[in-house]
C-alpha cells in the first residue's frame, strides 16, 4: 500500500494530520507493507521571504477577522496539536516562503532521508520557531536529518535544483483537484482530505487493505456426505455404525 501526502511545512493541520496518520499506522497490522511518500504543496507560492507579519496578523488578514479572533482560533489549533503530542508556538512562528524547503526535501528523498527531513522541517517551524526560509537554517536541518551540509548548501544555492520535482508534485495536485492540505492519496485510488481523526485513518487503512487483498475463496471438492465428516460449533457428526 502506498500513501502519498501533499502538505506544506507551514501548515499546522499538515503536522497534526501527519501525526494522526503515524499513530494509525502504528496500530495497523500490515504497517510493514505501507509506504508513505510526501509531496510538495505551497499554501502561498507568492509568500515573501520575510512577511513582516506574525502568524496571528496573517491569519486575521486572510480571513477578515480581528487579530484577537485569530489568536483564539490558533489556541484551538494548538489544543489539537497537543492532543497528538505536538507543541505549537504560534507567537514566535516566522512565516516565510517554503519553496526552498520543498526543494531541500526533494534532495533528501534522493538520499533516503525524506521522512527525517520532513519531520525536522515541521518541528523547526512550529515548535522551535526557526526561519525555514533561511539557507543556513535549512542547511542545519539537513545536517540534523543525516545529509551532508555542504551538499545541501549547493542544492539550496542553486534555485533550479529540484525545482522541477516540486512543480511536478504541484501539477499532479492540480490534476487531482487538490486545493487544500493535508491531502492523502492511497494507492492512487482513494483520498482523505484534511487532518482527520486517527480513527478515520485506521478505518481507511483497514478498508483499503481488505479490498485490495481479499481473502482467498476456496472451491469445495468434498463431494456428497461432507456435512457429516467434520466438527462445527462444538459438535461432531459421527457416521453411524453399519
Amino acid at each position: 500500500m502506498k500513501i502519498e501526502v501533499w502538505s506544506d511545512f507551514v501548515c499546522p493541520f499538515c503536522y497534526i494530520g501527519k501525526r494522526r496518520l503515524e499513530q494509525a499506522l502504528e496500530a495497523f497490522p500490515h504497517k510493514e507493507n505501507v509506504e508513505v511518500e510526501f509531496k510538495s504543496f505551497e499554501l502561498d507560492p507568492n509568500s515573501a521571504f520575510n512577511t513582516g507579519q506574525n502568524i496571528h496578523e496573517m491569519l486575521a488578514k486572510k480571513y477578515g477577522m480581528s487579530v484577537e479572533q485569530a489568536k483564539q482560533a490558533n489556541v484551538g489549533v494548538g489544543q489539537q496539536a497537543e492532543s497528538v503530542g505536538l507543541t505549537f508556538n504560534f507567537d514566535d512562528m516566522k512565516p516565510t516562503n517554503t519553496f526552498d524547503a520543498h526543494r531541500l526535501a526533494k534532495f533528501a528523498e534522493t538520499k533516503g532521508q525524506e521522512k527525517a527531513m520532513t519531520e525536522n522541517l515541521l518541528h523547526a517551524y512550529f515548535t522551535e520557531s526557526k526561519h525555514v526560509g533561511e539557507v543556513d537554517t535549512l542547511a542545519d536541518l539537513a545536517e540534523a536529518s543525516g545529509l551532508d551540509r555542504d551538499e545541501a548548501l549547493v542544492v539550496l544555492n542553486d534555485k533550479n535544483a529540484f525545482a522541477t520535482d516540486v512543480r511536478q508534485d504541484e501539477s499532479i495536485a492540480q490534476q487531482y483537484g487538490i486545493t487544500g492540505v493535508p491531502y492523502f492519496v492511497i494507492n492512487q485510488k482513494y483520498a482523505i482530505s484534511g487532518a482527520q481523526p486517527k480513527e478515520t485513518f485506521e478505518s481507511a487503512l483497514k478498508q483499503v487493505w481488505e479490498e485490495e487483498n481479499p481473502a482467498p475463496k476456496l472451491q469445495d471438492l468434498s463431494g456428497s456426505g461432507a456435512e457429516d465428516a467434520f466438527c462445527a460449533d462444538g459438535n461432531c457428526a459421527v457416521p453411524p455404525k453399519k
Side-chain angles (χ1 to χ4, degrees):
M1 186 187 302
K2 183 174 183 178
I3 304 176
E4 297 168 293
V5 185
W6 271 264
S7 62
D8 198 1
F9 301 115
V10 294
C11 163
F13 288 106
C14 291
Y15 203 2
I16 294 170
K18 175 179 180 291
R19 194 60 90 243
R20 287 175 177 167
L21 171 63
E22 290 168 346
Q23 292 177 346
L25 282 171
E26 189 60 33
F28 186 55
H30 309 288
K31 60 184 177 182
E32 293 83 4
N33 301 105
V34 180
E35 175 190 357
V36 179
E37 181 178 311
F38 293 95
K39 299 290 188 178
S40 299
F41 189 101
E42 295 172 273
L43 286 174
D44 183 5
N46 298 314
S47 177
F49 175 77
N50 289 312
T51 65
Q53 295 178 313
N54 62 40
I55 196 68
H56 306 301
E57 293 168 339
M58 286 187 63
L59 188 66
K61 181 179 180 180
K62 181 176 181 180
Y63 293 105
M65 61 176 70
S66 69
V67 172
E68 187 57 37
Q69 288 174 318
K71 287 182 178 181
Q72 288 303 311
N74 284 331
V75 167
V77 176
Q79 290 172 344
Q80 291 193 53
E82 288 176 3
S83 73
V84 291
L86 300 175
T87 300
F88 284 4
N89 295 316
F90 283 104
D91 290 341
D92 298 319
M93 288 178 189
K94 299 175 176 60
T96 187
N97 189 288
T98 58
F99 186 62
D100 285 346
H102 282 293
R103 291 195 304 109
L104 182 62
K106 288 301 179 185
F107 167 63
E109 184 178 1
T110 67
K111 302 293 185 179
Q113 299 295 337
E114 175 196 29
K115 289 182 176 59
M117 189 79 258
T118 297
E119 176 66 26
N120 286 338
L121 281 164
L122 288 164
H123 187 264
Y125 179 77
F126 286 103
T127 304
E128 299 178 324
S129 303
K130 292 185 177 179
H131 195 307
V132 297
E134 292 180 343
V135 169
D136 285 341
T137 298
L138 290 172
D140 290 342
L141 292 172
E143 187 172 27
S145 304
L147 301 174
D148 183 276
R149 193 178 193 279
D150 291 335
E151 286 187 34
L153 281 170
V154 170
V155 169
L156 290 166
N157 288 319
D158 179 359
K159 296 302 181 181
N160 292 319
F162 296 95
T164 300
D165 301 78
V166 175
R167 296 305 183 210
Q168 183 176 8
D169 281 357
E170 294 175 336
S171 176
I172 295 173
Q174 287 185 329
Q175 293 173 31
Y176 279 145
I178 300 173
T179 57
V181 286
Y183 198 91
F184 307 82
V185 176
I186 307 175
N187 288 353
Q188 298 184 339
K189 292 173 58 178
Y190 313 86
I192 298 175
S193 59
Q196 298 295 328
K198 181 184 70 171
E199 292 75 16
T200 299
F201 289 110
E202 290 175 334
S203 177
L205 290 168
K206 182 176 184 293
Q207 178 182 332
V208 174
W209 183 267
E210 291 178 350
E211 287 182 3
E212 303 210 344
N213 298 274
K217 294 183 178 180
L218 303 179
Q219 182 180 357
D220 192 350
L221 302 176
S222 304
S224 62
E227 66 276 7
D228 295 326
F230 65 90
C231 302
D233 298 327
N235 297 304
C236 288
V238 181
K241 293 182 179 181
K242 295 182 179 179

